[in-house]
Amino acid sequence: AQSVTQLDSQVPVFEEAPVELRCNYSSSVSVYLFWYVQYPNQGLQLLLKYLSGSTLVKGINGFEAEFNKSQTSFHLRKPSVHISDTAEYFCAVSSPAGGTSYGKLTFGQGTILTVHP
Amino acid sequence: DTGVSQNPRHKITKRGQNVTFRCDPISEHNRLYWYRQTLGQGPEFLTYFQNEAQLEKSRLLSDRFSAERPKGSFSTLEIQRTEQGDSAMYLCASSLEGGVWEKLFFGSGTQLSVL
């Protein structure tokens, strides 16, 4: 079984400041890691993913995340945020071991990022 | 690519009534997923289909819940004898199976309120 913990339920930040949204996971098998974003009244959108290889992955809208296997973390970062980044962000894992689908995701509780002018 | 469509957007019902939601996936996608999201929580996996076959169901899916995908295209999720604890956002996602991972495309969800 897997679990995902997002350490901050809300993160307020001023425009053009850097931000980090924290995510820790627990799994007894190797996992794929994802960050999704949910804007108001819209469906979840994939920001970025880690499958294998380089531990630093870049996504859309200037976001990046770093996979740290020893700390079982996958924190999301952006060096300079915009008002339009205000949304809820979800960290998720999937583990296709055992024949289940890659699309069966375990999500964290979400972090609401609010960017203030 | 018109995206994943879910109807209705909102549903208010009285406890004990039956409700049905519909999901229309992206046309060429052969996999379809249902998730449930309660307030302050992330989405939780309920079930998924590959074409018309329902391949996996979560333990969260009680016997009051049933999902179908009769022709491998749209899907319906029915909840019988609704309870207040069923109040949640029900999300549908679709994907094209193949390769080392799947990109899920999510709909905007159906918000269910059970009074």
Side-chain angles (χ1 to χ4, degrees):
Chain A
Q2 304 131 33
S3 65
V4 177
T5 302
Q6 292 183 238
L7 298 163
D8 306 291
S9 58
Q10 297 191 53
V11 173
V13 64
F14 286 108
E15 194 174 18
E16 297 184 4
V19 70
E20 179 180 81
L21 306 184
R22 297 179 293 166
C23 172
N24 286 96
Y25 71 93
S26 172
S27 177
S28 57
V29 297
S30 61
V31 295
Y32 296 161
L33 295 150
F34 307 87
W35 276 97
Y36 282 82
V37 59
Q38 188 171 34
Y39 299 104
N41 299 314
Q42 295 187 27
L44 289 156
Q45 301 174 32
L46 181 66
L47 266 183
L48 49 77
K49 66 184 185 294
Y50 172 79
L51 305 181
S52 64
S54 173
T55 57
L56 183 65
V57 293
K58 295 188 183 297
I60 61 172
N61 301 338
F63 283 93
E64 64 181 31
E66 186 159 19
F67 169 57
N68 188 318
K69 187 174 183 179
S70 62
Q71 297 187 4
T72 60
S73 67
F74 190 54
H75 300 333
L76 181 70
R77 302 186 183 103
K78 186 170 182 177
S80 176
V81 295
H82 303 290
I83 297 286
S84 59
D85 292 324
T86 294
E88 190 162 17
Y89 292 78
F90 292 93
C91 182
V93 302
S94 75
S95 178
T100 190
S101 160
Y102 295 115
K104 181 183 176 184
L105 301 175
T106 300
F107 285 87
Q109 304 92 323
T111 298
I112 297 173
L113 174 65
T114 304
V115 181
H116 298 282
Chain B
D1 177 358
T2 57
V4 177
S5 177
Q6 291 189 247
N7 288 289
R9 286 299 311 276
H10 303 276
K11 179 71 177 178
I12 300 173
T13 191
K14 293 182 180 179
R15 189 176 53 185
Q17 297 293 306
N18 299 344
V19 294
T20 301
F21 313 137
R22 177 178 170 126
C23 171
D24 287 273
I26 294 171
S27 58
E28 65 269 24
H29 284 183
N30 59 347
R31 283 194 172 171
L32 187 148
Y33 297 80
W34 286 100
Y35 283 80
R36 180 172 66 189
Q37 184 177 14
T38 53
L39 200 61
Q41 300 296 318
E44 296 173 298
F45 169 81
L46 293 179
T47 188
Y48 89 97
F49 293 83
Q50 179 156 321
N51 300 313
E52 65 274 12
Q54 188 173 19
L55 295 187
E56 188 170 348
K57 293 193 293 186
S58 165
R59 287 190 297 273
L60 294 173
L61 212 63
S62 79
D63 56 5
R64 295 184 299 105
F65 288 70
S66 62
E68 295 183 341
R69 194 182 183 200
K71 295 183 180 179
S73 56
F74 73 92
S75 175
T76 57
L77 178 67
E78 181 183 16
I79 309 175
Q80 297 182 327
R81 306 180 303 281
T82 53
E83 301 172 357
Q84 288 185 325
D86 297 330
S87 295
M89 176 75 83
Y90 289 84
L91 301 173
C92 175
S94 69
S95 70
L96 190 61
E97 181 260 348
V100 296
W101 78 292
E102 293 173 43
K103 182 176 181 179
L104 296 188
F105 293 80
F106 283 85
S108 299
T110 294
Q111 180 68 54
L112 173 66
S113 298
V114 182
L115 304 179

